[in-house]
Amino acid sequence: MAYYFSEPSRTFGEYLLVPGYSSSECVPTAVSLKTPLVKYRKGEEACPLEMNIPMVSAIMQSVSGEKLAIALAKQGGVSFIYGSQTIEQEADMVRRVKAYKKGFVTSDSNLPPEATLGDVLDLKTRTGHSTVAITDDGTAHGKLLGIVASRDYRLSRMTMDLKVTEFMTPLDKLVTAPATTSLHDCNDIIWDNKINSLPLVDEEGHLQYMVFRKDYDSHKENVNELLDENKSYIVGAGINTRDFAERVPALVEAGVDVLCIDSSEGFSEWQSRTIAWIRENYGDKVKVGAGNVVDREGFLFLAKAGADFIKIGIGGGSICITRETKGIGRGQATAVIEVAKARDEYYKETGVYIPICSDGGIVYDHHISLALAMGADFVMLGRYFARFDESPSAKVMVNGTYMKEYWGEGSARARNWGRYDLGGKKSLSFEEGVDSYVPYAGPLKDNIAVTLLKIKSTMCNCGALTIPEFQDKAKLTVISSTSIVEGGAHDVLLKDKAPYASNMR
């Protein structure tokens, strides 16, 4: 006979935190959001890989590319480069993140000499950048021929088919510098010559980097940035349970700091085989997370298999339709609560603390606080990061509003057969994700600062200055559907929106 859980599975939206005593020391600036990323013997040794904020980006084509990996590492979190691409492509992305030098930007706005003014405007719409490098092959590292900036053209006096070579600032009139120039010297050149950008070229004249005047302030040290011992940014990467024997060595050679098995369901022999292969070939030097699971048994299985961290959540992502198509999953809050309890029991028995990651089910910023309070060490976010400039997807106009494209790894668009390993054919028989849009939100840095302030403020309201203290002191209450309505704006006519009742969902 089937087993029936006595309690319903609940979501984050069904809980509230009850505030506790806050001393005068409980102010957001005093809160530390440091959290472990991989397992360690708590109390006996330091965690070998810690994050400065409890946020990682999802292993998705529309989320975690190299630009977002750099932007998130600057803020103290970790991106997991998506694995649904060739081994060479993923390794190259990891390599570029590890090779990135602060302040030196690889140009992502490039055109060949045969391009037109219309192409410049189209590229500006896609990237939001007004400085376009003209190279012989239209790539970021082609031979530099000139630069097109906003000052170089006037739309009222020029036609869309005018070639860029007719109005660009040519190389012989540009101020450039050797690719080996230090950031300090680059900034001096920019200020001395009163220019907005400085191209750095190698001995053969190929463009290597751009340094921008507007980035001057951001070149200052960020106290939260996550660096390895060589002062390179920390970056993760996704793997699957099919080609790991080829993919893992390439990613390790590229310098990846941590791996994660990307799968819709982690309570499987395929994952234990993958972890066993990594341990056999690399020992404990290569860190690998696993998942996803939603209960105690799933956690213990992956813990005993040797996972360095374990992800929780099935079907709770905004673009995931696993629960609709297959009828499996669990409410995210209930899953986190049960797995966190199993994690704590495992630690008491073995002395090994295995961090757990809540993946999915986050709709509002305060849901992150709830996940942490329930025991998660960090959260993995897809939709949240997909909205930002740094995500790989295109920014498009939909009904007069800028949006970013966002699709699931289980969608036909992603074609990510590797994360659904049931020992069958290497293709998707049906979709478990959708193709969609999310509202464009601007740069990651500005948005994440607000989110982190909300988390810190919530922790202060509960009298906690660290995540472990927060988990120890948190008091949570289940709320009714009526109290959910009470918790938002109600019984008023908002000035900038339609009446609240018409916006309920």
Side-chain angles (χ1 to χ4, degrees):
M1 180 179 176
Y3 176 81
Y4 292 87
F5 288 90
S6 58
E7 294 292 327
S9 65
R10 299 187 182 278
T11 67
F12 294 130
E14 296 177 78
Y15 285 90
L16 283 177
L17 281 156
V18 176
Y21 170 72
S22 301
S23 71
S24 60
E25 297 177 347
C26 287
V27 293
T29 52
V31 173
S32 169
L33 293 178
K34 283 184 176 293
T35 193
L37 178 57
V38 297
K39 69 182 179 184
Y40 66 111
R41 288 194 167 275
K42 191 174 182 180
E44 299 179 22
E45 62 181 0
C47 179
L49 189 51
E50 264 191 335
M51 295 188 293
N52 293 324
I53 63 172
M55 300 169 73
V56 301
S57 67
I59 311 169
M60 300 175 67
Q61 295 174 6
S62 55
V63 179
S64 295
E66 61 196 84
K67 287 181 64 178
L68 193 123
I70 292 167
L72 184 52
K74 287 180 178 179
Q75 302 308 311
V78 172
S79 278
F80 285 87
I81 302 294
Y82 64 93
S84 51
Q85 55 183 322
T86 68
I87 294 172
E88 293 74 19
Q89 288 171 331
E90 186 179 15
D92 283 343
M93 278 194 178
V94 169
R95 197 173 287 111
R96 288 193 291 270
V97 175
K98 298 305 290 185
Y100 179 84
K101 296 191 294 182
K102 288 187 297 180
F104 295 83
V105 179
T106 299
S107 176
D108 65 353
S109 294
N110 314 286
L111 288 173
E114 58 269 19
T116 65
L117 175 58
D119 295 325
V120 171
L121 298 179
D122 288 343
L123 185 60
K124 182 179 179 181
T125 299
R126 291 199 306 272
T127 66
H129 301 152
S130 58
T131 300
V132 179
I134 308 302
T135 60
D136 62 343
D137 58 2
T139 68
H141 299 300
K143 201 162 189 176
L144 183 64
L145 304 178
I147 294 288
V148 173
S150 298
R151 65 174 183 274
D152 292 318
Y153 54 86
R154 293 181 66 179
L155 298 181
S156 61
R157 298 189 180 185
M158 300 164 71
T159 60
M160 292 295 105
D161 59 357
L162 186 66
K163 294 287 182 65
V164 292
T165 50
E166 297 294 318
F167 59 89
M168 71 181 185
T169 301
L171 180 61
D172 59 3
K173 293 185 179 179
L174 286 174
V175 177
T176 65
T180 55
T181 308
S182 70
L183 183 59
H184 179 273
D185 289 344
C186 286
N187 285 322
D188 285 345
I189 294 171
I190 287 173
W191 288 97
D192 291 345
N193 290 275
K194 299 180 179 179
I195 54 178
N196 292 321
S197 63
L198 177 67
L200 302 187
V201 296
D202 63 17
E203 294 177 353
E204 286 76 38
H206 293 93
L207 179 64
Q208 297 301 310
Y209 302 105
M210 298 286 292
V211 178
F212 294 93
R213 174 192 289 260
K214 66 180 178 61
D215 289 337
Y216 177 74
D217 289 336
S218 67
H219 297 165
K220 298 175 182 178
E221 196 71 16
N222 187 319
V223 295
N224 272 335
E225 64 184 354
L226 202 58
L227 303 170
D228 64 18
E229 58 187 12
N230 297 315
K231 304 299 182 184
S232 295
Y233 287 120
I234 298 292
V235 63
I239 61 173
N240 60 62
T241 58
R242 293 179 185 260
D243 66 6
F244 56 85
E246 295 79 36
R247 190 173 294 268
V248 172
L251 294 172
V252 171
E253 191 276 331
V256 74
D257 296 282
V258 58
L259 301 171
C260 184
I261 302 173
D262 179 27
S263 174
S264 65
E265 205 278 300
F267 195 173
S268 75
E269 182 180 346
W270 312 109
Q271 293 220 1
S272 62
R273 287 184 184 180
T274 304
I275 298 170
W277 185 91
I278 292 173
R279 295 289 172 253
E280 181 180 347
N281 288 274
Y282 295 96
D284 292 328
K285 292 182 179 178
V286 172
K287 306 301 182 183
V288 56
N292 288 16
V293 298
V294 293
D295 62 6
R296 181 177 185 275
E297 287 74 18
F299 169 85
L300 291 175
F301 173 80
L302 291 177
K304 293 171 183 176
D308 286 293
F309 68 86
I310 294 172
K311 290 204 293 137
I312 309 161
I314 295 176
S318 60
I319 40 69
C320 184
I321 55 172
T322 295
R323 297 181 193 176
E324 293 181 33
T325 57
K326 295 168 68 174
I328 66 168
R330 200 176 194 188
Q332 189 67 9
T334 299
V336 170
I337 292 168
E338 180 172 324
V339 172
K341 183 178 179 181
R343 183 268 319 277
D344 293 343
E345 291 173 352
Y346 185 84
Y347 164 61
K348 289 179 181 178
E349 292 174 4
T350 66
V352 176
Y353 185 89
I354 303 178
I356 56 175
C357 167
S358 177
D359 176 19
I362 303 292
V363 181
Y364 303 108
D365 286 350
H366 77 269
H367 288 171
I368 301 175
S369 300
L370 287 166
L372 296 175
M374 291 172 180
D377 295 281
F378 54 97
V379 297
M380 177 173 276
L381 304 165
R383 180 187 61 87
Y384 178 90
F385 288 115
R387 304 172 301 146
F388 302 146
D389 286 323
E390 296 85 354
S391 72
S393 64
K395 183 174 74 171
V396 296
M397 183 77 78
V398 179
N399 296 327
T401 302
Y402 277 116
M403 310 287 283
K404 291 274 285 186
E405 293 183 313
Y406 180 46
W407 59 95
E409 289 298 290
S411 68
R413 179 172 182 176
R415 300 179 63 81
N416 187 0
W417 53 264
R419 73 191 309 266
Y420 301 98
D421 198 343
L422 295 176
K425 60 183 181 178
K426 296 182 178 181
S427 64
L428 291 175
S429 300
F430 53 87
E431 291 184 279
E432 292 190 41
V434 299
D435 194 350
S436 62
Y437 300 105
V438 289
Y440 167 67
L444 178 147
K445 181 178 180 180
D446 295 345
N447 287 273
I448 206 169
V450 176
T451 298
L452 295 175
L453 181 58
K454 290 178 182 178
I455 296 170
K456 290 179 177 181
S457 296
T458 299
M459 290 171 62
C460 287
N461 290 145
C462 296
L465 294 177
T466 66
I467 291 175
E469 185 181 15
F470 184 38
Q471 294 167 345
D472 183 57
K473 291 184 175 180
K475 296 181 291 184
L476 293 121
T477 180
V478 175
I479 56 179
S480 67
S481 58
T482 306
S483 63
I484 293 175
V485 175
E486 179 187 63
H490 60 90
D491 300 315
V492 293
L493 179 63
L494 301 182
K495 292 182 179 180
D496 59 345
K497 295 181 181 179
Y500 178 72
S502 67
N503 284 310
M504 289 177 63
R505 52 179 182 155

